[in-house]
Amino acid sequence: MPSSHWTTWAWILLLPGCAMGWPKQSSSARSDIRDCTTSPPFLPPMVTDTSAQLNALRQRMQFYNISAYIIPVTDAHMSEYIAERDARLAWISGFTGSAGTGVVTTKKAVLWTDSRYWTQAERQMDCNWELQKTIWTDIIGEWLLQEIPAGENIGLDPFLFSIDLWNSYARVLQGSSRTLVPIEDNLVDLVWGTQRPPLPTSKIYLLPETFTGSTWQEKVSGIRRQMEQHYRSPTAVLLSALEETAWLFNLRGDDISYNPVFYSYALLTTSDISLFVDSSRLSTEALQSLRAQCPGPLCVQVEEYDQVRARVQAYAQADVRVWIGTEYTTYGLYGVIPQDKLVESSYSPVMMTKAVKNAKEQALLRVAHVRDAVAVIQYLLWLEKNVPKGSVDEFSGARYVDKLRREKEHCRGTSFETISASGLNAALAHYSPSNISSRKLSVDEMYLSDSGGQYLDGTTDITRTVHWGEPTPFQKEAYTRVLMGNIDLARLVFPSETSGRVVEAFARRALWEVGLNYGHGTGHGIGNFLSVHEWPVGFQSNNVPLVKGMFTSIEPGYYQEGEFGIRIEDVALVVEAETKHGAGEKAYLTFEVVSLVPYDRKLIDISFLSEHQIQYLNTYYETIRQRVGPELQRQQLEEEYEWLRRNTQPFSRGTLVAASLGTLAITSLVSALLPDRQA
């Protein structure tokens, strides 16, 4: 699934003519997006009127003496996926995308988002809202300078902005006579009132030891060793990201859809451990685990969730040094720690440690992907049989693959809302169908399925694009070039601790050669029964260098607006490479793909592939047969097993020769070998 963070290269997609040489779609009127130029405006059926919410918010703004209010699309833990009660931007604007910023002034309401969500925004927002097609903070700040007169105030909730993001806005507004005002009472929440969804009440449970890489005590001891080794000798680590506390204590919950996390903070000192959480929600087993070694340095004191700020503020009064990750710590918490007592890094030591899986965690994720491959293969076979009958639409397809996954051992649901997109809907990178928007699947259109599962032993995420009829030459070339990018990055050998952004271009090179590109990230980290987008691993400019033991997706794509979309996504483990010459002091690395589902042969134009790429495909297909075949047979899925055999047949040497030499060259060769043969 494409990451919500843009890559260094994403700006290229904004340039005109990026699909050089291929005809562009005409800009004909579309009936699925709003048209605010008509009277009355045309609004798609899924749009809701936001007039009442905006009027109420502006009244609150007047009370707090602010002329603009900034509304992000995150929660107090900087989560990418959020609970319904934290979907403030969606409630005030109607836009439900996972990346965006809203600004409401006394006269205007504006949404900023990236290219993945432009069409979605036009489908979901009413004409009270303007769409700005960018996400850069500096541009939002410049807009504020133009719209807000000098001497006036701009408000925001300090618990919804990371330190870095707050500083970005402050830097743009510095010296402008406009003041950035932190307002701890969230104004959207005040307007939302009793309609806002309540806090979760479900149990927080202990992850069985079978599915953990280490005990939580071993993890805490490891973090404390890192504190001791740090040159500034921090006395505490403050954890704000939800997956940090879930991973550290081997606990899970379901406060956010698709993510087995729970609302919490943690303060880990050299001698004490505090977990800030609703204590009434901890299961008996979870509480027993946390207090098994009390009293002592490995005893977890459970404190109420809303006491974290006061507790950190009190702790910071002593002779201490608090280590924080600036990407996930909010300005609201940051502000109570004196500057001279802060130890700052982009990511906390827990986030960095979690990103590198140990041997047991790697084995768990590999097994989960075998089980997941069975579900995806069942789905692809089912589609082949039912799409020609005209009985499948995007929505029913998504529900069916979700059902197949839930039937698998250890599955606890899906890892994100399934993307099931046919034809022009596949050109929207994050499109998810509903009963309103769902299109019928057709043998005449490309179909993109991006889905994943949450298993006790691992999180999965895989995308396959297929065509059941006759794809056009352009569709085949675009698909093949996306596949070439996937292969080129997957088989790359590179030095350890190379930044992902350095090698990311290998996934785009085959597309760039003909003037094509895509506007989302090339990959993201993935968790062990945690977040499907696990930072800080990936190929973006703010990701950490790649080291052995990290898992990342590899997912190039191409999107022809209004026509079709292509994405090929696999999850891969960073492993040590076998090189001809010794690696010396610094190991060389490569990727081991753990997603195990074949690509659509009908969409592959083998004439574009090099011999090395074809050899890679054949080796990958052999791995699929060896690892998934026995599991299909164990489950007595004989029809799926035969499908797997057909779709993982190696590309023949004859096909390779034809691809290398071309039809004309083959004719010449035959003439030379058989001189008596007439042309």
Side-chain angles (χ1 to χ4, degrees):
M1 181 182 186
S3 167
S4 290
H5 298 260
W6 268 33
T7 74
T8 309
W9 309 102
W11 61 270
I12 295 173
L13 201 62
L14 302 179
L15 296 176
C18 69
M20 303 158 32
W22 292 105
K24 294 185 177 299
Q25 181 195 10
S26 63
S27 56
S28 58
R30 291 175 56 179
S31 61
D32 60 339
I33 63 174
R34 65 180 183 169
D35 184 351
C36 297
T37 64
T38 63
S39 182
F42 171 77
L43 299 176
M46 63 282 295
V47 167
T48 56
D49 187 351
T50 62
S51 300
Q53 294 98 299
L54 288 171
N55 288 337
L57 178 60
R58 285 171 175 138
Q59 290 176 16
R60 293 284 182 175
M61 291 166 56
Q62 186 176 12
F63 177 80
Y64 282 89
N65 191 31
I66 58 173
S67 300
Y69 192 62
I70 307 175
I71 308 163
V73 68
T74 188
D75 61 15
H77 303 273
M78 301 293 100
S79 304
E80 178 182 0
Y81 295 94
I82 56 177
E84 288 186 14
R85 67 179 277 105
D86 291 316
R88 298 173 178 90
L89 184 58
W91 184 79
I92 199 73
S93 71
F95 171 71
T96 62
S98 64
T101 300
V103 175
V104 177
T105 70
T106 56
K107 296 180 180 179
K108 293 184 178 181
V110 183
L111 171 77
W112 283 263
T113 190
D114 66 57
S115 63
R116 295 167 301 143
Y117 294 111
W118 293 345
T119 300
Q120 179 177 333
E122 298 285 12
R123 287 177 172 181
Q124 293 183 325
M125 296 194 305
D126 65 12
C127 293
N128 286 310
W129 286 83
E130 299 176 17
L131 174 63
Q132 294 284 341
K133 297 183 176 182
T134 183
I135 58 170
W136 307 121
T137 303
D138 287 354
I139 294 177
I140 300 174
E142 292 293 338
W143 184 90
L144 287 168
L145 290 175
Q146 294 175 11
E147 295 290 330
I148 306 303
E152 298 191 6
N153 299 323
I154 299 166
L156 48 72
D157 182 343
F159 290 96
L160 295 182
F161 287 80
S162 69
I163 301 161
D164 292 342
L165 190 54
W166 173 281
N167 288 336
S168 295
Y169 281 110
R171 185 169 54 252
V172 175
L173 299 175
Q174 187 175 13
S176 69
S177 299
R178 297 162 182 83
T179 305
L180 203 58
V181 179
I183 303 174
E184 294 183 13
D185 294 324
N186 187 282
L187 302 193
V188 176
D189 291 352
L190 295 177
V191 173
W192 209 345
T194 57
Q195 297 179 17
R196 187 185 179 205
L199 285 163
T201 58
S202 57
K203 284 296 181 183
I204 299 166
Y205 56 94
L206 182 68
L207 191 62
E209 187 175 344
T210 304
F211 303 109
T212 63
S214 310
T215 67
W216 71 258
Q217 291 92 342
E218 291 170 332
K219 294 177 182 179
V220 165
S221 298
I223 299 303
R224 282 175 168 160
R225 283 194 295 272
Q226 292 186 49
M227 294 164 63
E228 292 173 2
Q229 295 164 3
H230 195 286
Y231 76 99
R232 290 196 59 194
S233 301
T235 60
V237 175
L238 175 62
L239 304 178
S240 296
L242 300 183
E243 58 263 38
E244 291 181 311
T245 50
W247 177 85
L248 183 63
F249 297 111
N250 291 333
L251 300 176
R252 298 294 188 269
D254 58 3
D255 293 6
I256 297 178
S257 296
Y258 313 113
N259 295 263
V261 296
F262 52 93
Y263 287 119
S264 57
Y265 295 93
L267 184 67
L268 170 62
T269 77
T270 53
S271 57
D272 300 295
I273 310 168
S274 295
L275 174 62
F276 300 90
V277 67
D278 181 349
S279 58
S280 67
R281 298 179 56 206
L282 289 167
S283 69
T284 301
E285 294 81 6
L287 194 57
Q288 288 175 345
S289 173
L290 296 174
R291 301 191 61 79
Q293 297 189 33
C294 293
L298 291 174
C299 169
V300 179
Q301 300 296 329
V302 178
E303 304 185 41
E304 289 306 307
Y305 173 78
D306 59 5
Q307 294 301 305
V308 61
R309 188 186 189 198
R311 176 76 165 81
V312 171
Q313 188 171 24
Y315 178 79
Q317 302 306 307
D319 182 19
V320 297
R321 290 165 301 284
V322 183
W323 193 353
I324 63 169
T326 57
E327 289 280 343
Y328 285 90
T329 305
T330 65
Y331 188 79
L333 281 179
Y334 175 82
V336 303
I337 307 171
Q339 288 290 313
D340 62 333
K341 297 180 180 180
L342 281 166
V343 178
E344 300 182 33
S345 57
S346 294
Y347 302 100
S348 79
V350 170
M351 191 70 79
M352 295 297 294
T353 303
K354 175 172 61 65
V356 182
K357 315 309 188 211
N358 64 25
K360 183 180 178 183
E361 290 169 324
Q362 293 175 27
L364 288 167
L365 268 165
R366 283 192 180 97
V367 172
H369 278 84
V370 172
R371 199 179 307 117
D372 196 69
V374 172
V376 177
I377 289 168
Q378 287 180 286
Y379 181 53
L380 292 175
L381 174 60
W382 179 81
L383 288 172
E384 280 187 11
K385 295 163 65 175
N386 289 280
V387 169
K389 301 175 184 177
S391 59
V392 185
D393 60 29
E394 294 168 330
F395 188 73
S396 64
R399 298 292 77 79
Y400 190 72
V401 72
D402 293 350
K403 171 181 174 292
L404 290 171
R405 276 199 173 87
R406 289 191 176 95
E407 293 171 351
K408 300 307 173 198
E409 186 181 17
H410 304 318
C411 186
R412 293 298 181 267
T414 59
S415 56
F416 54 93
E417 185 176 8
T418 295
I419 297 171
S420 172
S422 178
L424 78 167
N425 284 339
L428 308 175
H430 273 209
Y431 168 84
S432 292
S434 68
N435 280 323
I436 297 174
S437 66
S438 185
R439 299 179 76 246
K440 186 79 71 176
L441 270 58
S442 167
V443 295
D444 298 320
E445 292 185 322
M446 297 182 79
Y447 172 68
L448 187 154
S449 174
D450 186 346
S451 62
Q454 287 287 10
Y455 303 88
L456 292 176
D457 44 2
T459 303
T460 67
D461 182 5
I462 185 171
T463 307
R464 290 295 181 263
T465 304
V466 297
H467 199 301
W468 300 284
E470 292 299 325
T472 67
F474 176 42
Q475 288 174 334
K476 290 185 68 172
E477 177 175 351
Y479 180 93
T480 305
R481 289 186 178 279
V482 170
L483 177 60
M484 291 163 66
N486 182 293
I487 293 172
D488 288 348
L489 185 52
R491 62 185 294 269
L492 186 69
V493 176
F494 53 93
S496 181
E497 299 186 11
T498 296
S499 173
R501 65 182 174 83
V502 172
V503 301
E504 194 253 8
F506 282 88
R508 299 178 185 267
R509 182 174 60 181
L511 289 165
W512 283 355
E513 286 175 348
V514 292
L516 304 180
N517 199 13
Y518 54 94
H520 56 69
T522 293
H524 54 79
I526 195 160
N528 280 82
F529 189 39
L530 272 173
S531 300
V532 70
H533 287 171
E534 183 175 83
W535 283 75
V537 179
F539 300 96
Q540 281 75 268
S541 58
N542 55 345
N543 286 140
V544 297
L546 296 167
V547 299
K548 180 181 176 181
M550 290 179 169
F551 280 83
T552 180
S553 68
I554 297 175
E555 49 182 306
Y558 174 71
Y559 308 90
Q560 184 77 359
E561 184 180 358
E563 295 184 27
F564 64 87
I566 299 164
R567 188 162 59 255
I568 300 173
E569 176 184 17
D570 295 309
V571 172
L573 169 64
V574 181
V575 296
E576 193 163 333
E578 295 182 5
T579 56
K580 178 180 179 180
H581 302 289
E585 296 181 1
K586 196 170 189 178
Y588 278 73
L589 305 175
T590 189
F591 296 103
E592 174 198 330
V593 173
V594 298
S595 300
L596 298 167
V597 178
Y599 311 117
D600 188 355
R601 298 177 79 93
K602 183 174 288 188
L603 283 166
I604 299 174
D605 186 339
I606 200 170
S607 68
F608 289 107
L609 301 182
S610 70
E611 183 173 354
H612 289 301
Q613 290 166 336
I614 292 175
Q615 289 173 346
Y616 172 91
L617 273 179
N618 289 340
T619 301
Y620 174 56
Y621 281 2
E622 177 63 26
T623 300
I624 294 175
R625 287 195 296 274
Q626 291 177 356
R627 299 200 62 199
V628 182
E631 181 63 18
L632 289 170
Q633 291 179 308
R634 188 187 71 80
Q635 296 186 30
Q636 298 182 333
L637 297 170
E638 294 303 325
E639 193 173 4
E640 285 79 1
Y641 179 71
E642 289 305 317
W643 182 95
L644 179 69
R645 283 171 55 95
R646 289 195 308 272
N647 285 277
T648 56
Q649 288 298 311
F651 292 98
S652 68
R653 183 64 184 173
T655 304
L656 177 56
V657 170
S660 302
L661 300 178
T663 305
L664 182 60
I666 287 291
T667 303
S668 301
L669 179 61
V670 170
S671 299
L673 295 174
L674 303 172
D676 295 333
R677 180 182 177 90
Q678 297 299 314

